[in-house]
Every structure is written in C-alpha cells, then in structure tokens.
Amino acid sequence: MSSKNGGPSTPVLLRRDPYEVLSVTKDSTDQEIKTAYRKLALKYHPDKNANNPEAAELFKEVAYSYTILSDPEKRRQYDAAGFEALDAEGMDMEIDLSNLGTVNTVFAALFSKLGVPIKTTISANVLEEALNGTVTVRPLPVGTSVHGKVEKQCAHFFGVTISEEQAQAGIVVRVTSAAQSKFKLLYFEQDANGGYGLALQEDSEKTGKVTSAGMYFLHFQVYRLDSTVNALAMAKDPEAAFFKRLEGLQPCEVSELKPGTHIFAVYGDNFFKPASYTIEALCVKSYEETTEKLMDIEAQILRKRNELCQFESEYRKALARFQEVTNRYNQEKQSVDELLKQRDSIHSAFTVVKTLSTGNASNLSNGSTSKTSAEEARGESPVEDGGSDGKDKSSRKRWFNLNYKGSDKKLG
C-alpha cells in the first residue's frame, strides 16, 4: 500500500527530526508527546484537508514521527543513532480509511482478507467531537454488558464509573463480536477543555470464532501484541516471521485507573458494513486466579522474547554453516560422479575390439567375426591335414557322433 493512502511510510526526503515535527524536546514526557501529536494529527487530518495535498503530507510526517517517539525502543534507537537505527520496513502501515475512495477501499479489504494486517486511523470527525465534548456517553456499569451495532467510521461512547475498591482490585474492559466484525476499542482521557482526548487504542483481532479487543488495568504491566509490526517483511521471510513475532509486544501506556468515570468507545472499523459487538466492564476481584495466570504468562512471554533475540544469532550462524556444508555436499557429490564416470571410461578402453566405423561394426554384427573364427579353426585342425596317418573320414565321422547325453551305445 503506497504512502498516498496515509501512513508513516514517509519518504526519506521528508524525514525531519521527529522532535522538530511534533514541536517537542528530547526531555519531553510521553504525555507531552502524545498531546502534541493529538493536536497536530487533528489539525492535518485528511478529513479536514481533503483538497490540501500539503496537509496530507504533514499528517503522514506527524504520524511517522509519533510512531517513533511513542515507542520506547524506537525512541531509544533514534536517540542513539538516528534514522539509520530504524528498520523502515518494520514501521507500521496505517491507512486513513475515511479518506479512501471506493477502489482503494476494496483494495484495502482484499489485503485484510489475504492476512496482511492494516492499521487504520480514526475519523477526524469522531476525534473532534470527542475533543469538543459533544459526544453522547452511555453508562456501562461494572459487571454488566451492552450489545450494539455501530456504523463504519462512527463510535459509540460509554462511561464506566468505578469505586475506590474496584480501582484497587483492577478493571478489565472487553469487546467481542460473534459476527467477527472489525472494530477498535478506544479509551479517552479527560482533556483540559472539558472534552476527551484519545489515550489508548486496541484493534480487534480474531480469536477462535469471534473477534475481540480488551484493555486490562491490573496494576502490573500488560502488553499488547501488534501484529502489523514487520508484517510485509515477515511475509517474505518465514524465518523472520518467527523471530520477529514477539517484537510486536508493546507495553500498554496505562496500567491502572483511578476512582471515577472513565470514557471508552467502540469504533466501527469495518470496510463495508456496521460492526456488531458486545462490550463489558469487569472488576477482577473475583478473577484473582485468572489475573495471576495473566501476570505469569506475560512474564514468560517477555523472557521468551529475550531468549529469541539470543537464539536468532545462534540460529543464523548455524544456518550459514548448514548452507556451507550443503554446498560442500553438492560439490563433493558432483566430484565423485565425475571421477566414477572417468573410471568407467578408462575401464572400457581395455578391449581387443578397437573402435571401428559404423559400417565395419555392422559387418561384424552380421557374422564376419564368427566366419573368421571358423576359418582359423579349420586351419589349425589336424583333421584337415593330409598327413594325418590313418585318421580318415570314418574317424572324423565317429568324432562328430559322440553321444553328449552319455549313452555308451553310440561310441566306437
């Protein structure tokens, strides 16, 4: 998908310092970077600048810069060695679905069905309405679930009010779709002007027979697995797909919620139809065993990611060595075949019959060899000699009447 459709795959010529693009410093906090990005993304969003190509390019540049500075590892790499330290192919693809034409929408849908994950931006209208505080917020009590159907590129907002006790225990908000609809689960923070600013976003993923997305505020670090990381690069190299699979594991920015009302939304991310969903808010006080299992499995996956980084180096060396010995094997096999071929050729040179022309070889096959042998036999036979002293025709006759079957009656 080309960068024309929106995304951080910004050409090298547009690679300005991401701190400069977002108008922040290297000492800026994550929240300051997020706030700066939010304002600029909304300012240059394609929805609001349909006839301004320059704004579209600036939007892509802002998105690209935020992709770097919002990721702790990418930010560290950039601070250490600039753009050279970043893998351009590994940057997430992001498409502004609301700005796609019909043809490009079909193209994007095809990519999605082929298994190439595509991140889509949220409509500027939804973001702006949230920022202005003009959205309708429905209550979602803890311990309940709500069913709904949201139109594409629209959002349903919910307010989850939690007590001190529930905040201490931990909260989980999950959305599922039995119809396997594509959607986003969004979390908004209270903005200074009274509106809501987007803070977290989770894209739905297929799990079993449903699509689902969840946010876990459990007082310990929970990670999201972004399947779009290096998606195209991995498609070209299955081995890289394995080693880079856990690189998409990114820490969620918020690990706990304070008592009060928190705003969540379900955003319709389907290409052609509304998204059917069920949203529920849970207090994990009655899920202590499940929470402990989640904490343990998160730790195991992190350890495995570190192990794979080390193992990949060993594997690549072993693979290179294997390729080397495989090439040696093929060379040695070819060499042995050639030597045996030469040996057979030399063996065949040891023969009385010399190499003759085709015509002579044909005469030999027609009996000339047997005739010559017979004449030689007659010339050497004493029967043919005139001075054979009493060995006449009768004796020669008796010679040819030998009984080869062993009967004595025919002898003499």
Side-chain angles (χ1 to χ4, degrees):
M1 201 60 67
S2 67
S3 60
K4 180 180 180 181
N5 292 329
S9 54
T10 308
V12 176
L13 294 177
L14 295 180
R15 281 186 173 184
R16 288 193 294 151
D17 178 9
Y19 291 102
E20 177 187 345
V21 173
L22 298 181
S23 298
V24 295
T25 66
K26 289 191 175 182
D27 297 328
S28 296
T29 65
D30 292 341
Q31 185 59 46
E32 290 172 338
I33 291 173
K34 184 186 300 181
T35 300
Y37 164 70
R38 185 186 300 161
K39 291 179 179 178
L40 291 172
L42 196 56
K43 177 180 179 180
Y44 297 120
H45 199 290
D47 279 356
K48 301 179 67 176
N49 302 274
N51 299 319
N52 187 352
E54 183 178 353
E57 292 301 316
L58 289 171
F59 176 79
K60 288 184 288 184
E61 189 177 38
V62 167
Y64 178 80
S65 299
Y66 183 68
T67 300
I68 296 172
L69 299 186
S70 63
D71 185 315
E73 180 61 20
K74 287 189 176 75
R75 184 177 181 181
R76 184 192 64 78
Q77 292 176 349
Y78 176 80
D79 289 344
F83 289 113
E84 296 298 325
L86 301 174
D87 180 8
E89 289 186 351
M91 304 301 283
D92 298 345
M93 280 197 311
E94 189 166 332
I95 296 175
D96 177 31
L97 182 62
S98 63
N99 198 44
L100 290 177
T102 303
V103 175
N104 286 334
T105 302
V106 174
F107 189 48
L110 177 60
F111 261 70
S112 182
K113 287 184 177 181
L114 291 176
V116 179
I118 298 175
K119 293 185 71 174
T120 54
T121 61
I122 301 168
S123 167
N125 294 334
V126 171
L127 295 176
E128 195 164 31
E129 288 176 0
L131 201 58
N132 294 334
T134 58
V135 295
T136 300
V137 180
R138 291 185 282 178
L140 177 63
V142 175
T144 63
S145 61
V146 173
H147 305 280
K149 180 179 289 186
V150 59
E151 293 295 326
K152 57 183 180 179
Q153 299 157 43
C154 294
H156 288 170
F157 286 78
F158 298 90
V160 179
T161 302
I162 60 176
S163 65
E164 180 72 36
E165 183 182 3
Q166 291 170 332
Q168 289 295 328
I171 295 293
V172 171
V173 176
R174 281 180 52 83
V175 180
T176 57
S177 173
Q180 299 186 8
S181 299
K182 195 168 181 288
F183 59 87
K184 297 180 188 294
L185 173 60
L186 311 177
Y187 171 63
F188 291 84
E189 294 177 335
Q190 190 78 32
D191 198 83
N193 62 359
Y196 310 109
L198 181 63
L200 294 178
Q201 170 182 322
E202 296 291 344
D203 289 27
S204 62
E205 292 190 355
K206 188 175 181 181
T207 53
K209 296 183 179 180
V210 302
T211 50
S212 65
M215 292 184 181
Y216 306 85
F217 308 95
L218 305 175
H219 301 281
F220 60 84
Q221 188 62 70
V222 178
Y223 294 80
R224 69 167 63 90
L225 185 59
D226 190 347
S227 59
T228 64
V229 173
N230 295 319
L232 295 182
M234 290 190 295
K236 300 176 183 177
D237 186 353
E239 291 172 353
F242 169 70
F243 286 110
K244 295 183 181 299
R245 186 176 180 183
L246 296 183
E247 287 187 6
L249 206 66
Q250 302 295 334
C252 295
E253 293 86 343
V254 182
S255 60
E256 61 183 82
L257 296 179
K258 296 180 180 180
T261 300
H262 299 271
I263 306 301
F264 295 86
V266 180
Y267 179 80
D269 205 22
N270 269 23
F271 289 101
F272 302 111
K273 58 184 180 180
S276 301
Y277 66 89
T278 299
I279 183 172
E280 55 187 347
L282 303 170
C283 176
V284 300
K285 187 175 182 179
S286 57
Y287 295 86
E288 291 183 2
E289 184 178 350
T290 304
T291 302
E292 290 178 0
K293 288 181 179 179
L294 177 60
M295 183 166 55
D296 179 63
I297 201 68
E298 291 280 15
Q300 289 186 47
I301 292 175
L302 280 181
R303 288 196 297 270
K304 181 60 65 177
R305 183 175 66 175
N306 295 332
E307 290 173 6
L308 285 180
C309 290
Q310 299 176 1
F311 176 58
E312 182 177 11
S313 177
E314 298 176 16
Y315 176 79
R316 296 297 182 187
K317 291 179 181 178
L319 188 63
R321 176 59 180 160
F322 173 76
Q323 189 63 50
E324 180 182 340
V325 297
T326 300
N327 293 339
R328 171 75 183 276
Y329 170 83
N330 293 330
Q331 292 173 1
E332 295 293 359
K333 184 176 182 299
Q334 184 177 357
S335 176
V336 169
D337 291 343
E338 183 62 30
L339 289 173
L340 291 177
K341 183 179 179 181
Q342 294 180 24
R343 176 178 179 270
D344 291 343
S345 178
I346 294 173
H347 281 187
S348 65
F350 289 95
T351 177
V352 175
V353 180
K354 304 298 182 183
T355 303
L356 302 175
S357 64
T358 304
N360 291 336
S362 177
N363 290 335
L364 288 174
S365 64
N366 289 332
S368 59
T369 301
S370 59
K371 180 178 180 182
T372 302
S373 301
E375 290 174 351
E376 290 176 353
R378 284 198 299 271
E380 296 175 358
S381 173
V383 178
E384 297 290 331
D385 191 351
S388 56
D389 295 334
K391 291 184 179 180
D392 55 8
K393 296 180 179 180
S394 62
S395 63
R396 183 169 58 179
K397 181 179 180 182
R398 189 166 61 245
W399 169 262
F400 285 106
N401 283 333
L402 286 175
N403 182 5
Y404 291 100
K405 294 183 179 181
S407 174
D408 293 338
K409 295 179 181 181
K410 292 186 181 181
L411 292 174

